[in-house]
């Protein structure tokens, strides 16, 4: 008898394991995930990739992009329940833009957005569709960006991004110091967060002149609120950095190209 009990216990432990595992990670177990996990690689890989993505972490499930009913295994993929199937490339700006609107606006105005459907990269060319991770300037790798054109401008844009990140870090530390001194910083933190978002959005234009122009505006706003409110204005040098990296690099790039063309 005790052996049978142990067996039952062991079996139910292994049956429960996968379920408790996914709920422990804060993910909702839906019929989409249950059924797809057991299918062929084409149909189950999306689940595996999605499970370690930032979307899974934030509770953005299959239906956010594919529609359908996550609770009814029979009707889950019926169009009557809003199932939309696999989105095509030209539908991605509207789909992703539903939640990432500022970024999508800049992307649509970019050469990439204008070339969508005619060889330009879509959101998922750079970010993937299921294994979406926290984004960083590392995404601008040579191997990646040189598939379609030279890497020169990508390199410029990446160094400007890195400059921007170290500048933002400077402001972040400044806020931390103010906090330590007992100064109320909640509002400044919110402002820094939203200005950081604007920076990430404008870089999606991949338009050097626009990035310089808007970066200067954003940096001026940062300097006005955080620089002035803090101790000293040692960061005013930051006003020129992002722009000057791009400007200097662009000149170098043009001069070199003139030499090659000549
Ligand atoms: C009972 C099993 C089952 C459930 C539940 C299920 N799917 Fe599927 N799904 C399949 C099978 C099987 C296919 C392959 C169908 C085919 O190739 O025609 C598929 C195909 C797909 C495709 C690809 C369609 C295409 O045109 O290639 C997507 C996207 C998809 N499912 C998403 C979902 C989402 C989202 C849910 C939940 C709302 C869901 N599925 C629920 C079994 C299931
Ligand atoms: C952020 C949006 C997004 C989410 C969330 C998402 N998908 Fe997808 N999915 C896509 C896009 C875009 C494509 C088409 C491009 C591609 O195949 O990568 C796709 C393609 C698919 C395909 C077709 C694969 C093929 O090669 O034919 C399946 C199946 C699928 N998804 C299932 C799922 C399941 C199951 C989930 C939830 C675990 C999910 N997706 C979550 C955006 C998403
Ligand atoms: C050519 C490659 C490329 C394309 C196309 C692209 N992105 Fe990005 N994306 C990046 C890079 C690089 C970063 C990191 C940006 C940074 O550090 O400013 C990023 C960052 C992001 C972020 C994080 C922003 C933040 O605040 O941290 C989101 C969200 C995002 N992209 C969504 C999208 C969407 C939606 C699309 C399509 C409309 C898209 N991306 C198209 C390369 C790309
Ligand atoms: C239903 C809303 C929703 C949809 C649709 C959606 N996302 Fe997201 N996405 C989020 C949320 C929420 C986060 C996590 C919070 C954040 O960082 O913005 C996120 C995070 C991201 C990030 C990482 C941001 C970072 O902080 O570095 C990228 C990149 C991204 N999404 C790209 C996409 C792409 C590409 C698509 C379309 C295929 C898409 N998203 C569709 C809601 C969505
Ligand atoms: C799928 C192909 C593809 C990929 C991958 C790609 N691009 Fe592009 N890119 C294009 C197309 C198409 C244009 C439009 C102009 C052209 O034809 O060169 C363009 C234009 C640009 C421009 C403006 C061109 C100029 O001379 O001002 C920049 C900057 C740029 N891409 C940067 C990048 C970066 C950075 C990456 C890597 C994250 C990248 N691209 C990845 C296809 C691509």
């Amino acid at each position: 008898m005790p052996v049978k009990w142990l067996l039952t216990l062991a079996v139910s432990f292994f049956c429960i394991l996968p379920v408790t595992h996914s709920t422990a990670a804060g993910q909702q177990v839906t019929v989409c995930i249950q059924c797809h996990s057991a299918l062929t690689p084409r149909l189950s890989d999306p689940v595996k990739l999605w499970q370690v993505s930032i979307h899974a972490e934030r509770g953005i499930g299959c239906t956010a992009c594919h529609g359908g009913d996550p609770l009814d295994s029979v009707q889950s993929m019926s169009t009557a329940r809003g199932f939309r199937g696999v989105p095509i490339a030209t539908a991605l700006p509207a789909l992703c833009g539903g939640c990432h609107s500022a970024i999508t606006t800049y992307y649509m105005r970019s050469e990439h957005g204008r070339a969508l459907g005619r060889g330009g990269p879509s959101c998922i060319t750079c970010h993937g569709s299921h294994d979406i991770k926290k984004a960083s300037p590392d995404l601008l790798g040579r191997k990646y960006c040189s598939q379609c054109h030279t890497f020169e401008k990508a390199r410029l844009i990446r160094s400007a991004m890195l400059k921007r990140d170290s500048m933002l870090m400077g402001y972040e530390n400044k806020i931390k110091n103010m906090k330590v001194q007992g100064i109320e910083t909640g509002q400044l933190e919110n402002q820094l967060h939203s200005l950081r978002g604007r920076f990430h959005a404008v870089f999606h234009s991949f338009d050097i002149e626009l990035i310089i122009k808007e970066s200067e505006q954003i940096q001026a706003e940062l300097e006005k609120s955080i620089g002035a409110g803090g101790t000293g204005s040692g960061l005013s040098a930051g006003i020129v950095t992002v722009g000057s990296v791009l400007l200097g690099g662009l000149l170098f790039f043009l001069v070199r190209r003139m030499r090659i063309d000549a």
Side-chain angles (χ1 to χ4, degrees):
M1 259 317 162
V3 177
K4 204 172 160 192
W5 267 108
L6 270 176
L7 253 171
T8 324
L9 206 73
V11 168
S12 39
F13 178 70
F14 282 112
C15 291
I16 288 166
L17 199 60
V19 177
T20 44
H21 192 75
S22 4
T23 41
Q27 293 167 13
Q28 204 191 349
V29 181
T30 61
V31 296
C32 324
I33 295 169
Q34 275 171 342
C35 185
H36 273 263
S37 298
L39 299 174
T40 56
R42 178 178 79 89
L43 299 163
S44 59
D45 283 351
V47 178
K48 282 190 215 134
L49 295 170
W50 171 84
Q51 273 168 339
V52 293
S53 71
I54 189 166
H55 282 148
E57 203 181 294
R58 302 296 171 90
I60 307 295
C62 318
T63 53
C65 296
H66 295 294
D69 187 338
L71 300 172
D72 180 342
S73 64
V74 181
Q75 292 295 316
S76 58
M77 296 203 302
S78 86
T79 45
R81 299 282 171 89
F83 185 65
R84 297 188 295 268
V86 177
I88 53 168
T90 46
L92 291 172
L95 175 65
C96 313
C99 300
H100 304 289
S101 62
I103 285 172
T104 305
T105 305
Y106 280 105
Y107 164 83
M108 287 307 283
R109 281 197 254 152
S110 74
E111 293 216 29
H112 285 158
R114 289 200 299 265
L116 181 64
R118 294 177 287 110
S122 73
C123 313
I124 65 169
T125 313
C126 296
H127 292 291
S129 37
H130 299 111
D131 55 340
I132 293 180
K133 300 277 159 54
K134 197 146 185 53
S136 80
D138 294 343
L139 277 178
L140 306 187
R142 174 185 287 283
K143 209 175 101 204
Y144 219 49
C145 308
S146 323
Q147 284 170 46
C148 309
H149 45 63
T150 64
F151 191 61
E152 303 288 335
K153 286 202 180 164
R155 194 205 315 277
L156 274 181
I157 290 174
R158 190 174 59 186
S159 26
M161 278 176 175
L162 293 172
K163 250 291 182 297
R164 173 209 63 190
D165 286 346
S166 65
M167 179 202 66
L168 286 171
M169 186 83 85
Y171 283 110
E172 215 168 85
N173 288 335
K174 195 163 187 175
I175 291 180
K176 267 190 206 136
N177 287 340
M178 290 162 76
K179 211 170 182 167
V180 169
Q181 289 163 28
I183 301 169
E184 167 53 41
T185 54
Q187 209 186 334
L188 288 180
E189 281 169 55
N190 287 344
Q191 198 172 7
L192 184 61
H193 182 79
S194 93
L195 290 171
R196 174 183 277 128
R198 267 173 59 192
F199 259 131
H200 285 282
V202 70
F203 273 85
H204 278 82
S205 70
F206 287 89
D207 173 341
I208 290 177
E209 278 167 35
L210 189 68
I211 296 174
I212 294 176
K213 206 176 104 215
E214 301 216 3
S215 290
E216 280 172 359
Q217 244 169 50
I218 298 171
Q219 281 173 271
E221 279 177 51
L222 274 168
E223 185 65 16
K224 207 169 109 202
S225 52
I226 302 170
T231 46
S233 58
L235 280 158
S236 44
I239 298 271
V240 284
T241 49
V242 173
S244 61
V245 165
L246 280 170
L247 210 58
L250 192 63
L251 284 175
F252 180 72
F253 172 71
L254 289 174
V255 167
R256 246 186 40 178
R257 191 147 81 181
M258 275 162 64
R259 284 219 195 102
I260 292 167
D261 290 346

